[in-house]
Amino acid sequence: MTSRERVFAHLEGRPVDRLPLMPITMMFACDQIGARYRDYCTDYRVLADGQLRTAEAFGFDYVNTMSDPAREAADCGATVEYFDQQPVALVEDQALLADKAKLASLKIPDPLANGRMHNGIKAVALLKERVGRKKIVEGWVEGPIAEAADLRGINTVMLDFFDDPEFVRDLFAFVVEMELLFAKEQVRAGADVIGVGDAAASLVGPQIYQEFVWPYERKLVEGIHGFGAKVRLHICGNTRRSLAEMGMLGCDIVDLDSLAPISEARRQMGPSQVLLGNLNPVAVLRNGNPSIVSEAIAECHQQSGPRFIVGTGCEVPRDTPIENLRALCDYAHSHKP
């Protein structure tokens, strides 16, 4: 059974030979090839090399194109800052939509116009060329509140929910339209799965999540499914107050950060939702030892039950001991759902 066959079979509820393995690696993958992280973010060939080296070395079932949250915002014209060994960052005090009136004239960028989104699409295409049908290729887009925060500023958009809710809805609609265009081109380039990163969703309460965020996440999920791709939702932080709603989005995979207990997610999302995580990437994976990692991921599996994919609550830290990551991988390689 190839990795691609394994993941698809598992998502569809068919028997598999072992648990799928899909941890998030970005800076860790870059370090495996000794590259600058700036180059990993800006040169699709470096990203592909890092992902392929890491996937082969540790037996991952997929490769992904994540590098930082600033791709789409940069192509919209936002001010971003580049660092040699850190992710690209938004400059919040120079937010593109500091004047919200600018949204009315903001144009959705062409994802094929040789900007940062196009670099991500070329990464998908190169990974697909090199893994063929052996492994899953995962593209990535920002979710509605995450991208709104990138364009407007996280602190400002939080006030907008109360000061100008209609503007928030207009901004989210703009974001979803842009992200669907970006996702569509990634699927055309060969992406099997589109990851949706909506980190800021964990910073709002359940009322705001249900009223504002959830409807637009749902539109994004439905649109990606319409392109023929699977959807993986990743929300950093404590999402336990919104677990039931997340389970109703229709995502094929829901990632859980270490602050959101898998046992609660299983109770609230039901038995069929595929869960990934929620191993603490720092306290357990980076700072623990192989025995601690093995015991912790076994507990995650036990709490989740069979609809489970092995991974961490968030990105594998770049200085994670190799033996600790191998312990995580060995669990997937030696256990069935």
Side-chain angles (χ1 to χ4, degrees):
M1 179 172 267
T2 68
S3 287
R4 189 171 185 272
E5 290 169 343
R6 179 178 301 114
V7 172
F8 274 119
H10 190 57
L11 295 182
E12 293 164 7
R14 293 185 280 113
V16 292
D17 56 342
R18 64 165 175 82
L19 286 167
L21 175 64
M22 299 176 68
I24 295 173
T25 57
M26 294 186 284
M27 288 188 282
F28 182 92
C30 180
D31 285 356
Q32 300 310 296
I33 57 171
R36 292 193 311 171
Y37 199 67
R38 181 187 186 116
D39 297 329
Y40 187 89
C41 293
T42 57
D43 186 337
Y44 68 96
R45 294 161 295 191
V46 176
L47 185 151
D49 285 347
Q51 281 295 305
L52 291 162
R53 177 80 61 85
T54 305
E56 290 301 323
F58 294 94
F60 289 3
D61 288 308
Y62 87 129
V63 287
N64 76 70
T65 61
M66 282 183 288
S67 64
D68 63 272
R71 281 177 177 154
E72 297 94 308
D75 284 2
C76 286
T79 301
V80 301
E81 190 170 2
Y82 294 86
F83 307 92
D84 280 353
Q85 296 297 348
Q86 295 294 329
V88 184
L90 278 298
V91 181
E92 182 160 352
D93 61 4
Q94 299 178 43
L96 182 65
L97 295 180
D99 177 4
K100 62 186 176 184
K102 189 173 180 179
L103 177 62
S105 60
L106 188 62
K107 303 297 183 184
I108 292 176
D110 180 357
L112 298 177
N114 293 319
R116 293 208 63 217
M117 283 192 282
H118 194 202
N119 187 70
I121 292 164
K122 289 191 284 188
V124 168
L126 181 56
L127 287 168
K128 190 66 175 181
E129 175 186 323
R130 293 176 66 177
V131 304
R133 299 181 65 83
K134 294 180 181 179
K135 292 184 184 293
I136 290 288
V137 176
E138 182 180 272
W140 203 261
V141 299
E142 293 299 297
I145 187 171
E147 184 61 22
D150 292 342
L151 296 172
R152 176 76 166 145
I154 183 65
N155 296 305
T156 308
V157 82
M158 291 298 174
L159 296 174
D160 289 333
F161 286 116
F162 301 95
D163 296 338
D164 196 345
E166 287 309 308
F167 168 75
V168 173
R169 292 187 177 94
D170 290 342
L171 177 54
F172 282 9
F174 174 91
V175 168
V176 169
E177 184 178 355
M178 174 174 65
E179 300 299 356
L180 284 175
L181 186 60
F182 186 24
K184 184 177 183 179
E185 294 301 336
Q186 292 181 72
V187 175
R188 283 179 172 173
D192 302 296
V193 176
I194 297 293
V196 176
D198 212 12
S202 66
L203 301 179
V204 298
Q207 181 178 346
I208 289 178
Y209 181 79
Q210 293 167 24
E211 181 179 351
F212 289 94
V213 181
W214 189 92
Y216 292 92
E217 287 182 342
R218 176 68 172 170
K219 289 180 181 179
L220 189 53
V221 171
E222 290 177 340
I224 294 168
H225 280 157
F227 303 144
K230 305 294 188 183
V231 179
R232 172 182 183 174
L233 177 68
H234 181 84
I235 300 177
C236 301
N238 189 347
T239 55
R240 63 195 309 175
R241 294 178 297 177
S242 299
L243 290 172
E245 289 75 19
M246 289 164 60
M248 293 187 289
L249 286 168
C251 299
D252 302 278
I253 304 168
V254 173
D255 283 17
L256 294 171
D257 207 340
S258 56
L259 295 171
I262 284 187
S263 58
E264 291 186 20
R266 179 55 71 212
R267 284 196 302 272
Q268 296 192 47
M269 296 186 188
S272 62
Q273 176 65 65
V274 174
L275 301 176
L276 186 152
N278 66 337
L279 192 81
N280 189 308
V282 177
V284 175
L285 186 64
R286 178 184 178 272
N287 297 343
N289 59 48
S291 178
I292 290 172
V293 171
S294 297
E295 292 174 4
I297 195 62
E299 178 63 20
C300 292
H301 184 194
Q302 189 276 327
Q303 291 184 20
S304 170
R307 305 293 285 151
F308 180 64
I309 292 176
V310 173
T312 52
C314 202
E315 178 186 5
V316 173
R318 70 188 321 165
D319 54 351
T320 294
I322 296 297
E323 60 272 20
N324 288 4
L325 182 56
R326 289 206 183 280
L328 178 76
C329 301
D330 288 347
Y331 186 89
H333 295 157
S334 60
H335 287 78
K336 292 186 176 183

